[in-house]
């Protein structure tokens, strides 16, 4: 059936919604479908409670519009029954009898809104728009609270740098962006795995949908399962998990090697079936999610030792992006240091420190075991204290753009880094750089080294 799409004040709320209309009267079903279908992503009908139950076993809906008085059982009795097996849609009750007992029962089982018969088209549209807006607001609030409670709320920003290693990583992200393929980010702590995952999400067609990051090491097995899958408790109350709240977007599971074994098994089923079953539910919910994973652990070794499922490892390791250490992208340190200095000076409302040629040289020669995170933390701490630590303090006279972009200073930082990597062996450094030993000797003499 061809449906003419209608654009009006309800379109924004309804355009991505899937709605199930349940009513035993064909005329009423068709009337509501005629109103909703041109404005919604999907609208289906059910003529009875049993038919609606069969439909919900196979498909998920954002909202149900339900007549209360139907043959066999009332709409409220059906909702209470469905709560026990897993009803994950909000519900609007249509009734001609709005007595107090009905209202109290509806509140107890979580009915989102009432529409009294007879009603006009704008009344049902207003009720549906209100229910969906509340649903989306709950989702935004939940995700905001989750993001604020996460350990690494600072993992934002861009994947900066011009080094060959980081350019290679960015090129791979661009290639993967339009695909649904799972991606495993590996590399040492602080190398920017979450920033790379966020970059991939921002390049994809899911960019306007949620990006949800979960640290698998920060929650117990039971808590992680409920946090991810959702739960229906002993009172048949539903709490949606991050899988459902992130639906349509990207879910990033960090420290995946720390995921408990029972959660690993459940995650494998989600990846295979693209469906999730909340804890305590009897019904699966289809998902539309891009999965990204990260770890700084040796996953093949974890598989060999029996700490990580081999089948899950092969399922998540379709494409692996190894994030380079800061030591492997030494030419990016100056750009990163300048950016962090500007950011923290602005966010903390404190004066920026001077990045002169001596300080930048010390930055370039330092080992950075904590990678980009260590550099970022060092800059933040230095801005707060008003000075760099002694190991990084400089008294150079060249600052600003000149210190950052001056070709001779760029060359000095690079050559000194390679010399440090070669344990001071100038012949080896010359070999790695592809220049003569005499060139290094001449440069070192001019720098007083």
């Amino acid at each position: 059936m061809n449906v003419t799409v209608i654009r009006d004040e309800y379109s924004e709320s309804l355009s991505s919604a899937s709605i199930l209309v349940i009513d035993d009267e064909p005329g009423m079903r068709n009337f509501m479908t005629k109103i909703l279908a041109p404005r919604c992503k999907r609208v289906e009908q059910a003529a009875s409670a049993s038919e609606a139950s069969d439909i919900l076993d196979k498909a998920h809906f954002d909202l149900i519009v339900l007549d209360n008085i139907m043959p066999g059982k009332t709409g409220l009795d059906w909702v209470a029954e469905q709560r026990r097996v897993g009803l994950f849609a909000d519900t609007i009750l249509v009734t001609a009898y709005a007595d107090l007992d009905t209202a109290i029962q509806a509140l107890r089982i979580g009915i989102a809104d009432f529409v009294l018969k007879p009603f006009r088209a704008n009344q049902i549209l207003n009720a549906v728009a209100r229910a969906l807006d509340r649903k989306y607001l709950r989702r935004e609030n939940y995700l905001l609270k989750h993001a604020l409670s996460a350990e690494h709320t600072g993992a934002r920003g861009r994947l900066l740098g011009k080094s060959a290693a980081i350019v290679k990583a960015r090129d791979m992200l661009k290639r993967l962006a339009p695909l649904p393929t799972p991606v495993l980010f590996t590399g040492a702590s602080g190398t920017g795995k979450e920033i790379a995952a966020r970059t991939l999400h921002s390049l994809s067609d899911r960019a306007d949908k949620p990006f949800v990051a979960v640290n698998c090491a920060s929650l117990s097995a039971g808590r992680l399962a409920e946090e991810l899958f959702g739960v229906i408790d002993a009172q048949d109350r539903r709490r949606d998990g991050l899988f459902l709240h992130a639906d349509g977007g990207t879910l990033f599971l960090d420290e995946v090697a720390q995921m408990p074994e029972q959660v690993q098994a459940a995650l494998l089923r989600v990846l295979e079936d693209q469906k999730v079953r909340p804890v305590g539910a009897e019904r699966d919910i289809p998902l539309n999610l891009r999965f990204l994973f990260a770890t700084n652990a040796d996953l093949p070794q974890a598989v060999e030792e029996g700490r990580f499922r081999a089948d899950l490892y092969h399922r998540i390791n379709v494409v692996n992006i190894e994030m380079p250490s800061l030591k492997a992208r030494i030419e990016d340190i100056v750009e990163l240091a300048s950016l962090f200095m500007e950011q923290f000076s602005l966010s903390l409302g404190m004066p920026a420190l001077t990045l002169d040629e001596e300080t930048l040289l010390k930055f370039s020669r330092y080992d950075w075991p904590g990678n980009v995170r260590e550099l970022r933390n060092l800059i933040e701490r230095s801005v707060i204290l008003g000075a760099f630590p002694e190991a990084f303090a400089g008294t150079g006279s060249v600052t600003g753009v000149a210190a950052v972009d001056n070709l001779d200073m760029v060359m000095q930082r690079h050559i000194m880094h390679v010399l440090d990597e070669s344990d001071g062996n100038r012949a080896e450094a010359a070999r790695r750089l592809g220049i003569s030993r005499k060139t290094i000797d001449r440069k070192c003499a001019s720098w007083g080294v």
Side-chain angles (χ1 to χ4, degrees):
M1 181 178 68
N2 292 326
V3 177
T4 301
V5 177
I6 295 177
R7 301 294 179 193
D8 55 21
E9 67 268 29
Y10 303 104
S11 299
E12 185 175 352
S13 297
L14 275 63
S15 60
S16 61
S18 55
I19 298 177
L20 176 61
V21 174
I22 310 171
D23 199 304
D24 61 308
E25 296 180 18
M28 185 59 71
R29 288 199 311 274
N30 293 331
F31 173 63
M32 288 193 282
T33 301
K34 184 178 180 181
I35 295 168
L36 296 169
R39 297 172 172 88
C40 298
K41 181 179 179 181
R42 177 167 58 102
V43 177
E44 292 191 28
Q45 297 182 12
S48 65
S50 59
E51 183 182 349
S53 299
D54 292 340
I55 292 173
L56 287 178
D57 286 337
K58 301 170 187 174
H60 172 66
F61 294 86
D62 298 302
L63 187 67
I64 292 172
V65 181
L66 169 70
D67 185 31
N68 191 37
I69 306 302
M70 294 186 294
K73 67 181 67 173
T74 68
L76 289 177
D77 289 340
W78 178 81
V79 170
E81 174 189 280
Q82 291 300 306
R83 292 264 184 225
R84 289 189 283 274
V85 298
L87 179 64
F88 304 101
D90 287 353
T91 306
I92 293 175
L93 191 69
V94 177
T95 180
Y97 309 100
D99 58 275
L100 184 59
D101 288 342
T102 300
I104 291 172
Q105 186 183 357
L107 287 172
R108 282 176 177 168
I109 64 175
I111 295 294
D113 207 346
F114 282 94
V115 175
L116 297 178
K117 292 181 178 178
F119 56 82
R120 296 186 299 274
N122 68 311
Q123 289 176 286
I124 195 71
L125 286 170
N126 284 331
V128 168
R130 280 196 306 269
L132 290 170
D133 285 343
R134 285 195 295 266
K135 179 185 180 73
Y136 299 148
L137 184 60
R138 287 198 307 270
R139 167 168 146 164
E140 290 174 8
N141 287 341
Y142 186 92
L143 294 178
L144 180 59
K145 288 179 181 178
H146 170 76
L148 291 174
S149 66
E151 290 184 0
H152 302 303
T153 54
R156 304 289 190 272
R158 297 165 289 161
L159 200 60
L160 295 176
K162 302 181 180 67
S163 61
I166 210 67
V167 167
K168 180 181 177 182
R170 269 203 307 265
D171 288 345
M172 181 60 77
L173 295 177
K174 290 176 184 175
R175 178 178 295 184
L176 292 169
L179 307 176
T181 310
V183 179
L184 175 63
F185 294 92
T186 55
S189 180
T191 50
K193 296 185 289 293
E194 183 174 337
I195 289 178
R198 287 180 181 277
T199 301
L200 178 55
H201 172 74
S202 70
L203 293 171
S204 74
D205 58 3
R206 298 172 183 263
D208 61 337
K209 299 296 191 297
F211 176 94
V212 180
V214 183
N215 187 328
C216 298
S218 65
L219 298 169
S220 65
R223 176 80 189 283
L224 181 61
E226 291 187 4
E227 191 80 6
L228 290 177
F229 298 95
V231 62
I232 295 177
D233 65 17
Q235 287 74 45
D236 300 327
R237 291 177 302 194
R238 169 188 118 224
R239 182 164 63 84
D240 293 344
L242 289 170
F243 282 132
L244 278 181
H245 282 297
D247 195 38
T250 301
L251 188 73
F252 173 66
L253 295 174
D254 198 2
E255 304 289 358
V256 70
Q258 304 300 316
M259 181 176 285
E261 185 176 351
Q262 58 267 46
V263 182
Q264 292 181 32
L267 175 62
L268 180 63
R269 288 196 297 272
V270 171
L271 293 173
E272 293 289 353
D273 302 336
Q274 284 294 302
K275 294 179 181 178
V276 60
R277 177 171 294 188
V279 177
E282 300 176 18
R283 180 178 280 147
D284 293 329
I285 307 169
L287 288 176
N288 172 22
L289 271 179
R290 173 80 177 270
F291 286 91
L292 306 178
F293 307 90
T295 183
N296 57 16
D298 186 337
L299 273 185
Q301 182 180 345
V303 170
E304 189 175 329
E305 295 173 355
R307 293 183 288 109
F308 199 82
R309 294 178 62 109
D311 47 5
L312 179 59
Y313 170 65
H314 294 304
R315 190 68 183 81
I316 70 176
N317 191 34
V318 178
V319 178
N320 176 210
I321 296 181
E322 176 81 17
M323 294 304 296
S325 67
L326 189 55
K327 193 175 180 179
R329 43 183 297 211
I330 201 73
E331 51 267 65
D332 296 334
I333 288 178
V334 172
E335 181 182 0
L336 290 168
S338 300
L339 173 70
F340 294 150
M341 183 63 71
E342 180 183 345
Q343 286 180 342
F344 285 119
S345 173
L346 185 63
S347 64
L348 298 173
M350 304 181 78
L353 302 183
T354 299
L355 291 168
D356 62 43
E357 80 273 21
E358 289 186 10
T359 295
L360 292 176
L361 180 59
K362 290 176 179 179
F363 278 170
S364 297
R365 298 184 70 180
Y366 179 63
D367 192 46
W368 299 111
N371 294 293
V372 178
R373 187 177 295 139
E374 183 182 4
L375 172 62
R376 186 179 185 275
N377 292 345
L378 171 70
I379 298 290
E380 181 178 14
R381 186 165 57 250
S382 300
V383 170
I384 292 171
L385 298 176
F388 290 112
E390 185 61 34
F392 297 97
T395 57
S397 58
V398 183
T399 61
V401 175
V404 172
D405 294 336
N406 180 279
L407 183 58
D408 190 56
M409 292 175 185
V410 171
M411 188 184 303
Q412 180 187 14
R413 290 192 288 266
H414 187 59
I415 289 176
M416 294 307 298
H417 169 68
V418 176
L419 269 171
D420 291 339
E421 289 281 286
S422 307
D423 297 322
N425 186 322
R426 294 188 179 186
E428 173 61 16
R431 185 191 68 77
R432 294 186 185 185
L433 290 165
I435 60 177
S436 69
R437 163 68 184 269
K438 287 183 179 180
T439 299
I440 288 188
D441 289 340
R442 187 171 66 253
K443 288 293 184 184
C444 286
S446 69
W447 298 327
V449 177

